[in-house]
Amino acid sequence: MSGSPEQVSIRVLDRDYQVLCAPEERRGLIDAALQLDRRMRAIRESGKLSSVEKIAVMCALNLVDELNAAEERARERARIDQQVLDLAARVGAEPTPE
C-alpha cells in the first residue's frame, strides 16, 4: 500500500530539485538521481558540452540507447528460450529449468 507522497531533495549537476514520490519509491529516486548526476558529470568533464540542457539531452539519448539495447537483448533471449522449448517438445524431452 502506498503512503502519501513525500518531497525528496535531489541534486543533479550542482542543481537542487524537489521531487514528490511515494515513500517506497524514495530509495530508487535517490539512486536514479545519483546515477544521473554521475553520467551528466562524465559528459560535462569530457569537455565537448557545457550547457546543462545539452548535457541533459545527450545523457537522455545515451540512456535511451542503452535501454533499447537491453530490450533487444531481452527479445533475443525470449526468442532463443522459445526455440529451446520448441526443440525440446519436438524430441519429447522436458526442458531443464535455469
Side-chain angles (χ1 to χ4, degrees):
M1 180 162 206
S2 176
S4 296
E6 59 182 41
Q7 192 170 44
V8 178
S9 296
I10 59 172
R11 188 169 182 84
V12 177
L13 210 59
D14 304 323
R15 293 184 181 193
D16 294 315
Y17 299 91
Q18 304 299 315
V19 181
L20 286 177
C21 73
E24 64 272 12
E25 295 172 348
R26 185 175 196 277
R27 182 76 251 157
L29 173 63
I30 291 170
D31 289 346
L34 290 169
Q35 182 179 17
L36 180 62
D37 183 67
R38 281 192 301 271
R39 288 172 175 255
M40 288 180 69
R41 285 180 186 283
I43 292 168
R44 182 177 68 184
E45 290 167 5
S46 74
K48 295 177 183 165
L49 299 172
S50 60
S51 159
V52 173
E53 182 179 293
K54 288 180 181 179
I55 291 170
V57 169
M58 182 57 65
C59 188
L61 289 170
N62 290 341
L63 288 168
V64 169
D65 184 57
E66 291 175 24
L67 177 61
N68 288 342
E71 288 172 344
E72 180 57 35
R73 286 190 303 273
R75 283 190 296 274
E76 181 65 13
R77 175 63 191 257
R79 188 186 64 74
I80 291 169
D81 287 349
Q82 188 58 53
Q83 286 179 334
V84 169
L85 291 172
D86 293 346
L87 288 170
R90 286 174 63 186
V91 296
E94 291 283 324
T96 57
E98 291 183 30

